[in-house]
Amino acid sequence: MKVTYQALTDVGRKRKGNEDSLFVNAEQKLFVVADGMGGHAAGEIASSIAVDSINEFVCLTGGDEEITWPFGLDETISYDGNRLKTAVRFANKKVLEATKEKSEYEGMATTVCAVLVDDAVANLAHVGDSRVYLMRDGELSQLTSDHSWVNEQILSGVISPEQARSHPLRNVVTRALGGKADLQVDMQAHEIEAGDVLLLCSDGLTTMIPDDEIARVMRESGGDIEKAAQALVDAANAKGGEDNITVLLLKFEE
Ligand code: CA
């Protein structure tokens, strides 16, 4: 399966800096979005350490060399699934180490959503509230489930998704890289079909525009991912652009 991509990040309308990081390694078919948190530009550091470390580990395991798996192997998932899962845990270790290096890095953390493509299988890893969506036959579905306080409340039936959108605690993430050493990474593997589009994004998109609007914008772009990426960023800015907006679109073709 051939994959093409379009990546775009925008500071938005309210923030001074951009704490999101996006990363593509076309050769390894690795695609990552990370949304950093922390004062004094530390969020930016956290998200960039995360994407660099994920890439480092994925590259290390992309060849024939025998390598040591720092957290062991998970027998329930594929080799590429293991590469990606371990890469995220390795990145967590790197972010944690950095938090101890300088006092201004203390408490910094980052979300991650990452895709590693192996022919017609998309391996997905995520931690935090950055999301992955699948657009198939004009229908949009959210593949990831946010590790956030409001999502936990939704899942336990305490609040509705509509209430979550305006909830004062909507930005509270319950799982992130840089939090604790024993990080749980949610893994998925999806069979990809020709015509599928995957969207990786930071919450600067999804807190500004609801899913039905994301779907509408993507449908209107008629499969042109360059147009879709720009239209999504424009739509989030039009609604206020309160946070950094990052979108990474992957299009699959025979
Ligand atoms: Ca954000």
Side-chain angles (χ1 to χ4, degrees):
M1 196 82 75
K2 190 182 141 213
V3 53
T4 50
Y5 67 92
Q6 182 66 31
L8 201 56
T9 187
D10 189 273
V11 69
R13 297 221 161 132
K14 301 278 165 70
R15 302 282 178 95
K16 282 200 179 76
N18 191 342
E19 298 189 317
D20 290 356
S21 287
L22 66 77
F23 183 87
V24 172
N25 182 332
E27 196 187 335
Q28 298 286 345
K29 295 187 181 175
L30 170 68
F31 306 90
V32 191
V33 167
D35 177 355
M37 297 154 261
H40 308 288
E44 214 171 305
I45 306 286
S47 66
S48 81
I49 292 172
V51 300
D52 289 347
S53 307
I54 290 169
N55 181 52
E56 186 187 332
F57 193 82
V58 164
C59 290
L60 195 69
T61 50
D64 298 329
E65 305 96 85
E66 283 281 312
I67 66 117
T68 315
W69 292 83
F71 312 102
L73 280 165
D74 179 347
E75 286 170 10
T76 64
I77 57 174
S78 68
Y79 180 74
D80 279 325
N82 270 288
R83 288 172 72 202
L84 190 59
K85 183 180 182 180
T86 306
V88 175
R89 296 190 64 186
F90 174 75
N92 177 54
K93 190 167 163 273
K94 293 287 181 188
V95 175
L96 258 178
E97 281 167 11
T99 61
K100 289 162 191 147
E101 275 166 20
K102 287 185 187 174
S103 59
E104 62 261 42
Y105 291 171
E106 207 184 307
M108 72 177 180
T110 185
T111 72
V112 156
C113 64
V115 171
L116 183 63
V117 179
D118 173 26
D119 190 29
V121 176
N123 295 283
L124 235 89
H126 98 279
V127 175
D129 63 357
S130 298
R131 294 181 180 172
V132 182
Y133 289 88
L134 169 67
M135 188 81 178
R136 176 176 287 171
D137 302 328
E139 295 295 323
L140 186 76
S141 45
Q142 185 182 333
L143 300 181
T144 52
S145 179
D146 294 350
H147 304 131
S148 67
W149 187 85
V150 286
N151 195 38
E152 285 173 6
Q153 302 302 303
I154 293 169
L155 295 174
S156 18
V158 179
I159 60 171
S160 69
E162 289 70 34
Q163 288 171 317
R165 297 192 67 78
S166 56
H167 200 283
L169 297 179
R170 65 185 176 279
N171 293 324
V172 176
V173 169
T174 49
R175 216 195 283 179
L177 279 71
K180 51 181 186 175
D182 185 24
L183 178 72
Q184 206 189 326
V185 181
D186 283 10
M187 296 300 302
Q188 300 176 42
H190 290 272
E191 288 282 344
I192 291 298
E193 294 172 8
D196 284 354
V197 174
L198 286 178
L199 164 67
L200 286 72
C201 60
S202 63
D203 70 332
L205 177 74
T206 52
T207 53
M208 290 293 104
I209 59 172
D211 288 5
D212 56 355
E213 191 167 347
I214 294 176
R216 186 183 57 78
V217 168
M218 287 178 68
R219 274 194 292 266
E220 280 174 7
S221 67
D224 180 341
I225 53 172
E226 197 178 332
K227 198 172 153 189
Q230 190 61 57
L232 288 171
V233 169
D234 291 348
N237 273 326
K239 288 278 171 66
E242 283 172 23
D243 195 359
N244 309 138
I245 309 147
T246 299
V247 296
L248 180 42
L249 287 159
L250 312 182
K251 186 179 178 180
F252 295 86
E253 289 161 298
E254 284 298 353

